[in-house]
Amino acid sequence: MTREERRQILGDEIVAHIHDLVAEAPEPPAEAVEKLRRIMTRPGGEVPVPRPAVPVEPAADAAA
């Protein structure tokens, strides 16, 4: 949703109220910001390294 779409749905008054509330909020602690930064950088954790495929015998050959 774009900014313009949100403004159209909520209206200028509500958007201004939300901005006021955000401006009143205290800054988060540096520790929280660092934890969130790590989560948002790699939300799934480390990217797994691909492993070579294990050779598999075709089912027809295995049944013989």
Side-chain angles (χ1 to χ4, degrees):
M1 178 178 295
T2 66
R3 201 175 263 224
E4 292 79 24
E5 290 170 329
R6 278 193 301 273
R7 185 172 292 279
Q8 187 178 12
I9 291 169
L10 298 173
D12 291 337
E13 207 172 297
I14 297 297
V15 171
H17 179 67
I18 292 170
H19 287 173
D20 291 343
L21 292 175
V22 170
E24 292 173 10
E27 289 294 318
E31 181 180 298
V33 172
E34 183 57 32
K35 284 181 181 178
L36 288 171
R37 184 173 288 128
R38 281 185 271 151
I39 292 168
M40 298 304 286
T41 302
R42 290 202 181 268
E46 292 298 317
V47 177
V49 177
R51 295 181 288 169
V54 177
V56 178
E57 228 177 296
D61 294 341

